[in-house]
Amino acid sequence: MTATPGEAMRIAKLGYKVVRTETEAFPAADSGYHDYAEMQAELDKAAKAHPKIMQKLSLGKSYEGRDMPLIKISDNVAKDENEPEILYDAHQHAREHLTVEMALYLVKLFTDGYGKDARITNLVDSREIWIVPDMNPDGGEYDLTGGKYHNWRKNRQPVGSGYKGVDLNRNWSYKFACCDGSSPVVSSETYHGPQAFSATETQRLRDFVLSRRIGGVQQIKAAIDFHTYSELVLWPYGYTMNSTAPGLGADAQKTFAALGRTFAKSNGYTAEQSSSLYITDGSIIDWLWATQGVWAFTFEMYPNSPSKGGFYPPASVITAQTARNKDASLTLAEYADCTYKIIGKAQLCSTASSPR
Ligand code: LU0
Ligand code: CA
Ligand code: CA
Ligand code: ZN
């Protein structure tokens, strides 16, 4: 709960204890968004209401020491079952606050829908769903300081020359800094960091993903990394304009494109290879695919133009713009047991010719 200084004084006069915490809040007009403390409270509430299917765990701490929540949703949630695992992560970029709302929407969708909606119930029973709602809590809170937005993108780690911040989505190790898709300049918005995984927060998610590699088999089969804005569905690779490249053969490319176009049909976004937007190196989806074989997509959410609010659309859009990705999010989870089904090549999933 938050209060303005005036409200805090009146509450104190009523005899209640007012505790000042270090948490930031959205400007009043945007109070429909969840700041860090409100996000944590929402997750705690959901975990308490659905203990059989939801666990609130932790990835560890961010650079400034904020807990990075990790949500698991599945039947028999305390057990690691042999079920395809799916990862949804949000908020690598601080100012992209709508993505936290997307993650909270997915938590609600899978928990409140369980036992009511057959599609949701089937997924919760047959999958292990991982949700990381806040990859950049330090940057996200910094972006709200002083009751106004700061247009902040990176994390808040000191990087030299008095500057702070590494672009988390340029800090992953696959083809790190290879191709002019990031910057070596500490003050740049796309500063990639002194080396791959220099950022505390990318280390946290990397270590979790690697921990899901069991007996040499990555358990996470598919992922969506949520960003804003542009209304795009993007698939690997980001580092090259070539549609096929080492680790990404013709069948995999066709599968990515078919899945991506299916998602775009449901949410009205534009589907394309990530590099069609612009070249990025050290992005999460290139790493997830190339090193772990995870079918990983970037979704760039609402809006599609700066005139609709850019990185700061009004809170009134949250409900529609998160629900807009319901079908795509569920469809990816449904295909997670064998993505090649979508190009009619299910045999690739069970044979030794399966790439990973
Ligand atoms: O990281 C980014 O630059 C993304 C786009 C890539 C995933 C291709 N755009 S954003 O920073 O505006 N979300
Ligand atoms: Ca289960
Ligand atoms: Ca498992
Ligand atoms: Zn982004």
Side-chain angles (χ1 to χ4, degrees):
M1 186 142 58
T2 56
T4 64
E7 288 168 341
M9 221 157 69
R10 286 194 293 278
I11 292 166
K13 273 189 188 151
L14 289 171
Y16 294 100
K17 194 170 168 208
V18 178
V19 184
R20 183 187 293 276
T21 58
E22 280 183 80
T23 67
E24 304 297 335
F26 277 87
D30 285 338
S31 64
Y33 281 91
H34 292 76
D35 60 36
Y36 177 76
E38 291 165 343
M39 170 194 74
Q40 288 284 30
E42 193 73 24
L43 296 172
D44 287 334
K45 202 169 81 185
K48 210 172 160 194
H50 306 280
K52 290 212 170 99
I53 55 161
M54 171 172 170
Q55 276 184 334
K56 183 170 179 261
L57 307 163
S58 173
L59 281 188
K61 293 209 184 311
S62 68
Y63 176 79
E64 291 179 344
R66 291 182 181 84
D67 183 65
M68 296 173 69
L70 167 69
I71 303 304
K72 183 184 176 189
I73 299 173
S74 189
D75 67 337
N76 307 311
V77 67
K79 270 198 227 149
D80 181 12
E81 298 190 291
N82 187 18
E83 298 169 335
E85 300 183 16
I86 297 102
L87 171 69
Y88 304 96
D89 77 279
H91 210 201
Q92 284 201 85
H93 292 141
R95 63 193 165 200
E96 300 172 14
H97 302 284
L98 185 60
T99 65
V100 174
E101 305 305 317
M102 185 67 223
L104 292 174
Y105 169 84
L106 290 175
V107 169
K108 268 189 124 21
L109 178 71
F110 284 117
T111 54
D112 291 348
Y114 188 67
K116 296 187 188 116
D117 177 303
R119 198 176 173 198
I120 303 283
T121 307
N122 282 337
L123 280 173
V124 172
D125 285 344
S126 65
R127 303 286 183 267
E128 290 179 315
I129 297 156
W130 300 103
I131 302 175
V132 175
D134 196 350
M135 272 298 287
N136 187 359
D138 301 349
E141 285 285 278
Y142 173 73
D143 195 49
L144 304 179
T145 49
K148 61 177 170 62
Y149 296 125
H150 296 264
N151 210 27
W152 192 256
R153 169 180 171 91
K154 301 185 282 182
N155 78 348
R156 292 293 293 164
Q157 210 161 340
V159 288
S161 309
Y163 287 98
K164 283 189 180 188
V166 168
D167 183 345
L168 299 182
N169 206 29
R170 300 294 184 279
N171 193 239
W172 297 78
S173 65
Y174 190 70
K175 300 280 180 187
F176 176 79
C178 72
C179 305
D180 248 337
S182 59
S183 173
V185 178
V186 292
S187 60
S188 166
E189 283 284 73
T190 55
Y191 176 51
H192 51 48
Q195 71 266 323
F197 296 121
S198 61
T200 306
E201 296 80 10
T202 54
Q203 290 169 24
R204 295 287 95 92
L205 186 53
R206 172 202 63 190
D207 291 351
F208 168 68
V209 171
L210 294 180
S211 79
R212 299 315 303 150
R213 214 178 165 101
I214 294 169
V217 181
Q218 176 55 255
Q219 302 297 300
I220 299 172
K221 304 302 179 193
I224 302 175
D225 175 44
F226 287 101
H227 289 253
T228 69
Y229 63 96
S230 287
E231 302 187 358
L232 300 170
V233 171
L234 304 173
W235 63 79
Y237 287 125
Y239 80 88
T240 174
M241 295 294 284
N242 296 337
S243 55
T244 60
L248 180 50
D251 284 331
Q253 194 282 333
K254 278 193 200 115
T255 300
F256 267 119
L259 284 169
R261 287 179 188 127
T262 301
F263 303 152
K265 226 177 259 172
S266 69
N267 61 15
Y269 292 4
T270 300
E272 61 191 19
Q273 185 178 334
S274 183
S275 53
S276 304
L277 179 61
Y278 45 75
I279 296 279
T280 55
D281 43 43
S283 76
I284 187 175
I285 63 168
D286 282 10
W287 183 84
L288 280 172
W289 172 253
T291 78
Q292 304 301 309
V294 177
W295 296 89
F297 292 83
T298 299
F299 278 23
E300 291 275 6
M301 296 175 66
Y302 181 91
N304 59 8
S305 97
S307 65
K308 292 178 191 154
F311 292 112
Y312 302 105
S316 56
V317 309
I318 293 172
T319 304
Q321 296 305 327
T322 52
R324 186 174 176 179
N325 287 318
K326 172 182 171 178
D327 190 74
S329 300
L330 296 180
T331 301
L332 179 65
E334 286 162 350
Y335 272 105
D337 65 329
C338 178
T339 51
Y340 288 114
K341 280 187 298 194
I342 203 162
I343 60 163
K345 292 204 175 181
Q347 73 274 11
L348 290 177
C349 296
S350 49
T351 65
S353 68
S354 175
R356 291 174 188 87

